[in-house]
Amino acid sequence: MSENHNIVLVRSAMFFSSGRIGTIEGLPPLGLAYLAGYLRKNHINNLSILDAFGEAPLKRSRLEEFTVCGLTNEELLEKMPQQVAIVGISCMFSNEWYYTKLLIKSVKQKFPEAVIVAGGEHPTAMTEQILKNCVELDYIIRGEGEHAFFELVQTLLTGKGALEQIGGLARRENGEIVINPSTRLQELTALPDPAWDLVPIRNYLDHGVNIIKSNATRSIPIIASRGCPYTCRFCSNPQMWGKLYRLRPPQEVVNELKRYKDLYQINAFELFDLTFVMNPKWTIEFCTRLIEARLDLIWNIPNTRSEALNPEIVALLKKSGCQNISLSPESGSQWMLKDMEKRIKLPNMLRCTRMLARSGINTKVNMVIGFPGEKHRDVWMTLFYAIRFSISGVDSTLFYHFVPYPGSAYFKQVVERDHLPQDGDAFDRFLVSNIYNEMDKIVSYSEHISSTALKFYIFFGLSVSFLSFLLTHPVEIYRTINRLLQKKPKTHLEATLLNFFHKEKLS
């Protein structure tokens, strides 16, 4: 270990196939900001964050057939301190691993004595493969990383402590890959505020860079909970965040928002919990305290369950400033929902969308087709429910192809059937286009539905859902055209349409 104790936490540029359909969306590196905040809380202060996307969120460049959003790896390396002891690199999304791996190799080449640690959803899901194929990487922290990374830093800097006692640590040892059992923070009150002062947060706020489109531009991400008690087979959550559902005290979340209002002049926030409205009592208290605080913030819920939504909660959500909610029924086939272990009832979901529409909260519904084992009749049932959602008032019913997310049960099933490239460069490149709706590379993983049919269903589903919404809500025809002409999208679907017809130019 070098005598220098500089610790650098790094997030590489956003990275995806140039032919993807959809909006270019990004958010500040919440995980790294929490990591830095936890280290500082424990008196480790000689650290910095390098956020390649945040440093230049509007910059675009090309690498082969891919698009790089933000600083390139070469530009990022130029910003690193001259001496570095530990480099922590986050990779939350599998499509970014190919570029992140190139960054790891470059960092090791420039700083051969530095210890490189990776964390995030993808390293957690693909631990053994990554340690096998990326020799420049020294350690992986699996799952929640704050306390484990702190313990690793302490051990590396002081020489005291035992690596085998660090929860979730993966490493090479005597030619073997050793993985310690993961640990979880039992109480989220142990978490300090994210260290946003180390992130170019104003670049996000000043340019209106956020996930859910709204009129407010100064939007910051927060979390009110961690974990999810559900075990959907398409999701990698059990490995990353675990099934233990933990909530922060409502007043603590409101106090955090007050601080951001004062520090950064935010006028919106996005709640990035794995699933929201799990606890009706907590939700009622949070909305009530948010209303009482008079912060005048609008906010969005990118993901929530529908079971706990009722008229009282929906009314409070609206009154407290909630403008957008995303629901994910995934399928209109109860048989497919059972197979994917998605414990929802479609009539209840339809009741929920009607409530939200009456309240004036913009609602997005996500439908996915092409699951293993899915049949044509299942897809038509999904299309039928998509139309019903649109008629009920859902302004964005979006269709996606099934993606085998690394770490999910479905991913293991697809691998066992030899439907994916083997480990190595081909697999890493495959991951880039695996995530997004890049039409020419969409692959059906159902033995009953061809890839060509899947592409047709996606296009047909988007079209018929949008038309169903407009025809049953004719006033929205004028409003939609007006927003599109002004390039001021209100919904996810409008933002996607704008991106499709007005391709963003590479810088």
Side-chain angles (χ1 to χ4, degrees), residues 35 79-80 86 100 104 171 189 199 202 212 231 247 258 261 321 336 358 378 392 423 427 451 481:
L35 208 61
K79 288 184 170 289
M80 293 188 72
I86 301 171
T100 302
I104 291 171
R171 65 202 182 278
T189 50
V199 174
R202 296 188 186 278
I212 295 185
T231 56
L247 278 162
K258 288 180 181 178
K261 177 87 171 179
M336 283 305 306
R358 287 195 296 268
D378 299 308
S392 75
D423 287 344
F427 177 76
S451 298
I481 293 173

Side-chain angles (χ1 to χ4, degrees), residues 91-94 97 120-127 130 406 427-428 431:
C91 183
M92 289 303 294
F93 304 106
S94 294
W97 169 244
E121 296 244 9
H122 184 71
T124 296
M126 304 292 292
T127 303
I130 288 176
F427 177 76
D428 295 338
L431 290 173

Side-chain angles (χ1 to χ4, degrees), residues 198-249:
L198 298 181
V199 174
I201 189 66
R202 296 188 186 278
N203 282 352
Y204 291 92
L205 300 175
D206 294 345
H207 292 104
V209 178
N210 50 68
I211 294 292
I212 295 185
K213 307 300 176 186
S214 65
N215 292 328
T217 57
R218 303 186 66 80
S219 180
I220 202 164
I222 67 165
I223 61 163
S225 68
R226 280 188 179 177
C228 177
Y230 298 96
T231 56
C232 303
R233 295 182 64 209
F234 53 79
C235 184
S236 61
N237 162 70
Q239 291 188 59
M240 183 66 195
W241 302 109
K243 293 167 60 178
L244 179 65
Y245 186 68
R246 296 143 290 163
L247 278 162
R248 298 170 60 193

Side-chain angles (χ1 to χ4, degrees), residues 19-227:
R20 65 167 286 196
I21 296 175
T23 57
I24 294 177
E25 303 164 335
L27 68 152
L30 186 59
L32 287 185
Y34 264 120
L35 208 61
Y38 195 86
L39 290 176
R40 290 202 302 199
K41 178 184 177 182
N42 288 280
H43 313 295
I44 295 177
N45 297 306
N46 197 15
L47 59 95
S48 59
I49 293 177
L50 284 177
D51 175 13
F53 176 69
E55 289 288 345
L58 304 183
K59 182 178 184 294
R60 306 287 182 264
S61 56
R62 285 284 184 93
L63 177 69
E64 302 167 18
E65 70 269 32
F66 307 118
T67 296
V68 179
C69 294
L71 298 181
T72 64
N73 286 344
E74 293 75 19
E75 292 168 331
L76 188 66
L77 282 173
E78 291 177 2
K79 288 184 170 289
M80 293 188 72
Q82 292 299 310
Q83 293 183 318
V84 179
I86 301 171
V87 181
I89 298 181
S90 172
C91 183
M92 289 303 294
F93 304 106
S94 294
N95 59 290
E96 295 175 354
W97 169 244
Y98 180 79
Y99 199 57
T100 302
K101 182 178 68 172
L102 296 178
L103 176 62
I104 291 171
K105 292 178 181 293
S106 297
V107 170
K108 186 60 97 174
Q109 185 175 12
K110 184 173 182 178
F111 304 101
E113 294 185 5
V115 173
I116 303 179
V117 187
E121 296 244 9
H122 184 71
T124 296
M126 304 292 292
T127 303
E128 294 189 29
Q129 292 88 337
I130 288 176
L131 287 175
K132 173 186 173 183
N133 296 321
C134 186
V135 296
E136 295 82 4
L137 183 63
D138 298 295
Y139 300 101
I140 287 176
I141 298 289
R142 305 180 78 247
E144 296 178 48
E146 290 89 359
H147 190 68
F149 187 69
F150 162 67
E151 289 186 318
L152 177 61
V153 168
Q154 285 280 76
T155 299
L156 294 174
L157 295 184
T158 66
K160 300 177 182 179
L163 294 177
E164 59 269 18
Q165 297 300 317
I166 299 175
L169 181 68
R171 65 202 182 278
R172 302 179 196 86
E173 193 172 285
N174 299 321
E176 300 291 330
I177 294 174
V178 179
I179 301 175
N180 299 343
S182 295
T183 56
R184 310 281 177 200
L185 291 173
Q186 299 299 305
E187 297 292 338
L188 298 187
T189 50
L191 288 174
D193 279 355
W196 290 129
D197 57 299
L198 298 181
V199 174
I201 189 66
R202 296 188 186 278
N203 282 352
Y204 291 92
L205 300 175
D206 294 345
H207 292 104
V209 178
N210 50 68
I211 294 292
I212 295 185
K213 307 300 176 186
S214 65
N215 292 328
T217 57
R218 303 186 66 80
S219 180
I220 202 164
I222 67 165
I223 61 163
S225 68
R226 280 188 179 177

